[in-house]
Amino acid sequence: MTIDDAPRDALRGGPRELLRWVATGAAVSRADLSRLSGLSPSTVSQRVEALISQGLLEEAGAGRSRGGRRPRQLAVPTGGAVVGAIDLGAHHARVGALDLSGRVVQARTLPVRIEDGPEAVLGALLAEVAALVDDDPAVSRGGSATGALRGVGIGIPGPVQHSTGRIVSPSRMPGWNGFDVAAFCAGRVDVPVIVDNDANLMALGAHRTAHSELDHAVYIKAGTGIGSGVISSGRLHRGAQGSAGDISHCRVVADPAPPCTCGNAGCLEAVASGAALVTALREQGVPVSDLTGVIRLIDDGDRQATALARQAGRAVGEILAVVVNFFNPQVVAIGGRLADCEPLLASMRATLYERCLPLATQTLLIERVAAGQDLGITGAAHLVIDHVVAAA
Ligand SMILES: [Zn+2]
């Protein structure tokens, strides 16, 4: 029962890559895998047998023969609720049970009171995951009980030290600072639990579902808080401690510079996050209670709310321009509840083009992350699947 990074699998034809080729349909047979990886048929066979014995691949009938014995087709087992996932937000959590291909079998959204503290919140969500897995429709239909839980992935809306799974100085999460999520979960489930921040999970989920052919991508999550996840050379880039992509306390031009929860002033989070927009509107005398209210005002064309959204978009664009110049991604995509906010998106895009090197933006895709409340749990499931495959 550990929280750890899946070991490197960068070599061509590693188990994760073989599995990915089968899952995406690029390969349906051992011969395909041999051709794609450049590995000898016997090496491929060995690796495939290992994956089959771990239940990560299965033989699915016979393929078309090109003379001689018909090749056996490979598939990733689907339908079993074997991966648990929790995507914790400021007011809600999305909880799911997914199969080994990363497909959602069952999922639910639950209201959450972060201020109840980590034991109460995580305890209830882990119980919900267990209930979803037990509730696997394949099992209740009398199908095979594929539902042995392989692991649980958890996304936290704050900084997570990746090597330990400990939460470090989160904003707006009183009582959670320093909490050891891994140790807490170890006492409750006897499978690997992998913890990461919510922006990384969104990035992984979005990359695997929409951009798996692109190697370098940046995903901004703009909701109550603001963060980003970075995909470099096809892998989630966490840096030394897990804080890579955390843009929330980068300083932006703002006059006056609003104070931030970190003790500084003028941080991106204090200017452009959903929480910042709520605070700024209230200070201007607009009676708004939450982000939903802010988004409604912007949709209605409210002058003050729209001006703040434009300012937020410029701030995000400023920071993103530095990131794009430095990192040169193929795609920048914005997700989270503020991603549907047109004035914010338009000024972010304009600032980005204005401040970036032409070479960096020439072929850069600037997109909205495809809508969907399941990206976070999909990313969480892929964390677990990668871990299980690497461990196999
Ligand atoms: Zn700050």
Side-chain angles (χ1 to χ4, degrees):
M1 170 71 207
T2 53
I3 293 193
D4 77 359
D5 194 2
R8 293 275 184 274
D9 183 29
L11 293 175
R12 199 144 179 82
R16 262 192 290 184
E17 198 172 24
L18 298 184
L19 205 62
R20 186 85 32 81
W21 280 325
V22 176
T24 56
V28 296
S29 66
R30 290 165 175 78
D32 292 341
L33 291 174
S34 182
R35 179 174 47 77
L36 287 167
S37 64
L39 294 170
S40 70
S42 62
T43 306
V44 165
S45 256
Q46 229 170 32
R47 293 187 180 176
V48 166
E49 291 314 317
L51 289 168
I52 289 174
S53 71
Q54 297 284 332
L56 297 167
L57 267 185
E58 63 186 17
E59 312 242 34
R64 193 199 305 265
S65 167
R66 292 189 198 90
R69 197 151 54 92
R70 294 205 294 172
R72 286 160 296 165
Q73 290 207 335
L74 298 170
V76 174
T78 54
V82 295
V83 181
I86 297 171
D87 182 20
L88 181 60
H91 306 290
H92 294 92
R94 185 79 174 156
V95 176
L98 297 89
D99 70 14
L100 283 172
S101 70
R103 194 181 62 88
V104 177
V105 178
Q106 303 217 75
R108 256 173 235 164
T109 300
L110 305 167
V112 157
R113 285 164 42 94
I114 284 284
E115 62 274 22
D116 288 346
E119 284 98 347
V121 170
L122 291 173
L125 295 176
L126 282 174
E128 194 62 32
V129 166
L132 283 181
V133 171
D134 287 344
D135 225 20
D136 182 357
V139 176
S140 40
R141 277 199 310 269
S144 62
T146 48
L149 189 62
R150 297 294 194 103
V152 180
I154 303 181
I156 301 287
V160 174
Q161 184 179 40
H162 188 68
S163 58
T164 60
R166 197 180 278 275
I167 300 172
V168 185
S169 303
S171 306
R172 296 176 302 277
M173 295 178 76
W176 291 68
N177 184 27
F179 189 74
D180 192 337
V181 180
F184 175 80
C185 295
R188 280 159 183 79
V189 288
D190 57 359
V191 291
V193 174
I194 303 175
V195 189
D196 212 324
N197 75 70
D198 59 343
N200 277 354
L201 294 197
M202 191 197 81
L204 192 59
H207 182 254
R208 294 285 172 88
T209 50
H211 300 126
S212 61
E213 77 289 1
L214 302 179
D215 286 333
H216 310 294
V218 174
Y219 297 92
I220 307 286
K221 184 170 184 189
T224 303
I226 192 158
S228 80
V230 177
I231 302 288
S232 175
S233 301
R235 296 174 56 94
L236 192 57
H237 175 75
R238 295 193 181 85
Q241 291 287 327
S243 72
D246 194 338
I247 51 173
S248 42
H249 302 287
C250 292
R251 195 184 169 109
V252 293
V253 178
D255 185 25
C260 180
T261 52
C262 72
N264 290 323
C267 296
L268 181 64
E269 175 154 307
V271 173
S273 67
L277 297 182
V278 172
T279 306
L281 275 172
R282 278 190 193 147
E283 283 170 359
Q284 294 180 18
V286 181
V288 67
S289 61
D290 55 14
L291 183 53
T292 307
V294 174
I295 291 172
R296 197 176 302 129
L297 284 173
I298 295 168
D299 286 346
D300 290 347
D302 177 86
R303 190 178 53 78
Q304 284 160 293
T306 305
L308 283 170
R310 288 212 182 95
Q311 186 190 5
R314 276 194 298 277
V316 176
E318 265 178 43
I319 298 301
L320 210 44
V322 176
V323 171
V324 167
N325 283 334
F326 181 80
F327 177 61
N328 189 199
Q330 291 151 303
V331 61
V332 163
I334 180 164
R337 296 183 63 203
L338 284 173
D340 291 329
C341 175
E342 276 305 333
L344 187 149
L345 228 62
S347 50
M348 180 194 91
R349 191 183 280 267
T351 309
L352 198 50
Y353 280 119
E354 189 188 309
R355 300 283 178 87
C356 279
L357 294 168
L359 188 58
T361 49
Q362 227 164 42
T363 59
L364 177 69
L365 300 168
I366 303 174
E367 295 179 359
R368 233 182 227 135
V369 170
Q373 55 187 352
D374 288 339
L375 277 181
I377 57 171
T378 302
H382 278 291
L383 277 185
V384 173
I385 294 164
D386 286 355
H387 174 84
V388 168
V389 172

